[in-house]
Amino acid sequence: MQIHLIKSKIHRVKVTGADLNYIGSITIDEDLMDAANIVEGEKIQVVNNSNGERLETYAIPGERGSGEITLNGAAARKVSPGDILILMAYAIMTPEEAKTFKPKLVFPNESNLLK
């Protein structure tokens, strides 16, 4: 048997942009991606604490140190700049692996930068 387990979490980041005309995805400051062990193209669950919306998309790196969190394409309709999000990625593993696995949890400051 295999189970889905939280692998990465970026907790409480602020939306800095929404670009409806971009093809799709979420742009995340590459420093945050590295800290959370999220790779380019990885599936990301986005939970909007400000309005209750939930969606899935994929990560693309934004400029390092910029604090950028931009929802692109159709997902841009689910957020407004200033909304507070939780970003999560999951891994599939055996229950035995899950017992010792430690997820990467990142808690940025109010400017979406690492503390």
Side-chain angles (χ1 to χ4, degrees), residues 31-53:
D31 285 343
L32 294 174
M33 287 178 63
D34 287 348
N37 193 27
I38 294 172
V39 299
E40 184 172 357
E42 186 168 358
K43 183 165 110 174
I44 301 294
Q45 181 181 32
V46 178
V47 178
N48 189 330
N49 279 3
S50 299
N51 66 17
E53 292 282 354

Side-chain angles (χ1 to χ4, degrees), residues 1-113:
M1 174 179 19
Q2 295 194 320
I3 60 174
H4 288 212
L5 200 74
I6 187 81
K7 176 189 82 78
S8 308
K9 180 178 180 182
I10 304 175
H11 191 75
R12 296 188 59 83
V13 287
K14 191 181 302 180
V15 174
T16 59
D19 186 354
L20 185 60
N21 295 313
Y22 190 85
I23 291 173
S25 69
I26 182 170
T27 305
I28 304 170
D29 178 326
E30 197 165 6
D31 285 343
L32 294 174
M33 287 178 63
D34 287 348
N37 193 27
I38 294 172
V39 299
E40 184 172 357
E42 186 168 358
K43 183 165 110 174
I44 301 294
Q45 181 181 32
V46 178
V47 178
N48 189 330
N49 279 3
S50 299
N51 66 17
E53 292 282 354
R54 291 175 166 260
L55 63 102
E56 290 182 344
T57 189
Y58 61 92
I60 60 172
E63 182 181 345
R64 286 187 181 279
S66 67
E68 181 178 10
I69 302 292
T70 300
L71 274 291
N72 303 303
R77 295 195 183 276
K78 304 285 190 179
V79 301
S80 295
D83 283 358
I84 301 298
L85 308 179
I86 298 172
L87 309 178
M88 295 171 282
Y90 299 88
I92 299 172
M93 60 188 75
T94 66
E96 294 76 29
E97 291 170 316
K99 289 177 184 176
T100 59
F101 180 77
K102 301 293 183 219
K104 295 286 185 177
L105 307 176
V106 178
F107 300 90
N109 67 19
E110 288 132 16
S111 299
N112 296 341
L113 302 174

